[in-house]
Amino acid sequence: MRQYPLCIERVRQRSVAAQMFGHLGRERMCTDILKAVRIELSTPVKYIKRVGERVAAGLAERGIETVEDLLYHLPFRYEDRLHPKPLAEYRVGEMASIVGEVRGTVLLRTRSAPIFEMTVGVKPPREIREARYEIRDSKDGMSGLLRPPPVLETVKCLWFHGTYLRDKFKPGQMIALYGKLDGSRSGNALGAVPGATKFKMVQPTFEILPDATATGEDAEFTMLEMGRIVPVYESLGGKTPWGAKLTSRWLRRVMWTVFRELAESGAVADETLPAVLRERLGLPARMAALEGLHFPAAGTPMTELMSARTPAHRRLIFEEFWYLELGLELKRRRLRERVGTAFATGEKVREALKQMLPFKPTAAQKRVLGEIVSDMRAARPMRRLLQGDVGSGKTIVALQAALVAIENGYQVAMMAPTEILATQHYLYARRLLSELISPTTGKPYRIALLTGSLDDRTKREVRGRIFRGEIDLAIGTHALVEEKVDFENLGLVIVDEQHRFGVQQRFKLMRKPGAGEPDVLVMTATPIPRTLALTVYGDLEVSVLDELPPGRTPIVTRRMPEERSGEVWDFVRKQVEAGRQAYIVYPVIEGDKDDQPELDFARGDENLSDYEQEAGPSAPSQDDKFKKSGKPKKGAQGKIFEKQKLRSATEMFEQLRAGEFSGLRLGMLHGRMSADDKEVAMARFKRGEVDVLVATTVIEVGVDVPNATVMVIEHAERFGLAQMHQLRGRVGRGAAKSYCVLLTGSKISREAELRLDAMVQTQNGFQLAEIDLEQRGPGEFFGTRQAGLPEFRVANLARDRDVLELAKIEAAKFVYSPDPKMDRAQIDAVWARLKQQWQRRYGLVEA
Ligand code: ADP
Ligand code: MG
């Protein structure tokens, strides 16, 4: 950050004072001196006109420190006030941006709350007005009869608790409105022809537009508010020293000034992409792109602006992705230079694989094994992510990879996120391998389980055997990593259910002093949208198991309201009588406490946005108070938002056992039970000694009980998509037909509706993952526990997939075969910038 001499700071303050008090002569003098404070991208925001120390401090809290930071605070929507979309082209339920004229206002005192009502007249566009005019003219003599209806269409606007608006509007004022268009039932509005008002808006955001009488700054900036595509910003939260909010209007003026001063100061355009690259891809220069997004040129298509598809958007998005991919490409290149183990895959290895396979592998399994084996044969260490939907048969592929290493005389470590899963893998591996003789050594395979709950003596003993090389395949939980297990000759590490591990952890195992690094295979059953895989796991190669083993019948998924749970319990009972087992899953363990850390979506999803529109609380709906994730607020209707009572695992366990399921064998499993108790509960369910397992999401990952055919999820509206999908994946693992019932409570947000619909419609994990990513954004997708996700200022992983793909290709090109037309200085500038960005923005270590 640049230090500014104190005297200039003082001059700046004086100049502000001069402007406010109108000492013109003095002001001119000051501005002359001020020219010395050149606004550049790196200039602290406090030096921007209208900002100053206090606002700057507030902005700093939002991460905005420099002019550049501020310019990246992009509008989140736009209003076309030059060619607003005609009212006639809107349909009920759509969000609308309207420019109109205040016709009349009234404050209605109703029983529950005062309602402020306003009628806004909207002129149809000129084409329509003139078209009618022609018709009238052409019918000579009858023009009076064919007079068109009044040209002013009207919209009725309502604000609950709107007393504060009483003196704000005057008839004849021009106003810009933004909000959802509802149908007007009566068709009546103040001062409009009865029955002619098609639409109403409840609590729209509004901006009073400047008119001919505007003076001073307002007049100067009229052109920012009207007759153009106007940017709308998310409020920056703070206030100006004189108490005004940092509204869109304020931001527009500040941004406008910044661009003007940048141009005047002749600051060197800080271009961040090599010109050759920009020209080839047809991307605008950086400053032009930024300006084009704050103040779009007339004629910029609104749909492109709103969906971030303008060339200006693409340019900024590309830049972010390109630098990220450059960094990842370097990482990959460095990895290729590291030394691993080149495993051989001769006759004996093939024989070993063949004798292990209990069934015919699917085509996808064959392809993926091929990808893994070709990595293993290479001398560099393997870093591969194996993605596969629940039940796609990842474990067997992983065990095949393990055999390749073992037949080569190496040890294999396999890690799972929970004891249950580690144990399950262990039993699975034993079942497949314990009877077999290694073709290479002529001896049986030696497999060990190592988990945290083993007693210390056993743990010590197992560790000893691993250290002495007496174990070929060690399967365990985190304990394997955390408790410093030394391998004699570790060749391959398999990490199951990656998303449960911190990103850092996965590197721990790899670092091993001495010769070749082990290969690493990471498996996840959470289908990750490709964009995320390319970024978060960008340093891994990705294999996808996109085919389920044959013989699976689709799981029948149904949605039912809680009131009909009786029917569901009857159904469960019938299934149990037919010899099957069932899971019933709850969002919480006990009472209505949110005490279930595993639940990744229970919090903050009471965004009943539709409802809020209808009878929103009394938040002053001023200017740009656009609620993106409307937190429930207490108003007159505040009670509606009070938390509903959730059914919980422990309570329902008691209730069902005494009631609907009396006579059945019930088990319980939740996160607050001890590891031993969990183990026992799961083992009993697996052995078929329990008919119905009442649980929380701890059963989510990887648990395999083929005889279980029913999954009931209570309060399904509270679960995230990924989670529901995982839960559903617990059934349908055997030959019998399976069912998933989504029981829903009474209040369901729009987002929850979408999730439930998606669950009913598809069983494809990758499709669900894309929807999930779109809904929650990448941060939430992984949950807060997951570090390592880069933050983008413009790009959006759910939206900009194509740009990401392009950036990846272009990054590889730049690293391996840069365009000969690019000169050395440009290339060096890119690397210098990468180094700085990699640290600052992406926070990815070891650049
Ligand atoms: P994932 O870990 O991917 O969820 P698993 O590896 O647990 O899936 O496999 C699910 C079930 O499908 C297991 O019982 C496994 O034995 C079985 N399975 C895997 N591959 C095949 C195949 N090619 N043919 C038949 N059954 C298979
Ligand atoms: Mg698995």
Side-chain angles (χ1 to χ4, degrees), residues 290-311:
L290 283 169
E291 191 159 0
L293 292 188
H294 287 286
F295 300 103
T300 311
M302 285 300 284
T303 46
E304 283 185 18
L305 272 175
M306 300 291 249
S307 56
R309 307 313 284 167
T310 61

Side-chain angles (χ1 to χ4, degrees), residues 359-362 365 389-395 428 549-550 552 704 733:
F359 35 62
K360 207 165 143 293
T362 63
Q365 281 171 323
D389 219 333
V390 273
S392 58
K394 293 181 293 295
T395 323
Y428 192 71
R552 303 271 166 87
D704 192 21
R733 302 175 78 86

